[in-house]
Amino acid sequence: MRLILKWLLSAVALLAVAYVYSGVQVSSFTSALIAAAVIGLLNAVLRPVLVILTLPVSIVTLGLFLFVINALMFWSASGLLSGFHVNGFWAALLGSLIYSALGLIIDAALSKSPG
């Protein structure tokens, strides 16, 4: 149940990113649900591989390269879907930062909720 709630709230967070920042467009709530699922899958499957492969760069940049990896995951999801669009890498970077901040808030709220 918590996983479904996190997925729904992540879709709402994606809609909030699109509302706050014009570099990210989401056409509907259904598109936001699908995009949230795809971003989650990319972060679960592809992101760990990229983190390991780019470990030397991440060490040299003191971890700042992880922001680039997050932006690439965000941008990749927009390339795979038709109802979710990101206007280039810099828009993906800022959009992923906002989305990650909202994700932290969602995780904090869900960890404090009973049940």
Side-chain angles (χ1 to χ4, degrees), residues 88-110:
F89 175 77
W90 296 109
L93 183 63
L94 186 56
S96 69
L97 287 173
I98 299 168
Y99 185 66
S100 295
L102 293 173
L104 287 173
I105 294 168
I106 291 168
D107 287 340
L110 290 179

Side-chain angles (χ1 to χ4, degrees), residues 62-91:
L62 303 174
L64 292 176
F65 194 74
L66 295 175
F67 290 120
V68 173
I69 293 173
N70 285 342
L72 290 174
M73 296 298 98
F74 201 74
W75 198 15
S76 297
S78 78
L80 296 171
L81 303 170
S82 60
F84 174 56
H85 181 72
V86 178
N87 297 330
F89 175 77
W90 296 109

Side-chain angles (χ1 to χ4, degrees), residues 8-56:
L8 290 171
L9 290 174
S10 294
V12 171
L14 200 55
L15 287 172
V17 171
Y19 180 77
V20 170
Y21 179 54
S22 64
V24 176
Q25 293 92 32
V26 180
S27 62
S28 66
F29 184 69
T30 304
S31 296
L33 282 171
I34 295 168
V38 169
I39 291 170
L41 285 173
L42 286 173
N43 282 333
V45 176
L46 191 57
R47 187 177 187 275
V49 174
L50 289 176
V51 168
I52 296 296
L53 290 175
T54 62
L55 191 60

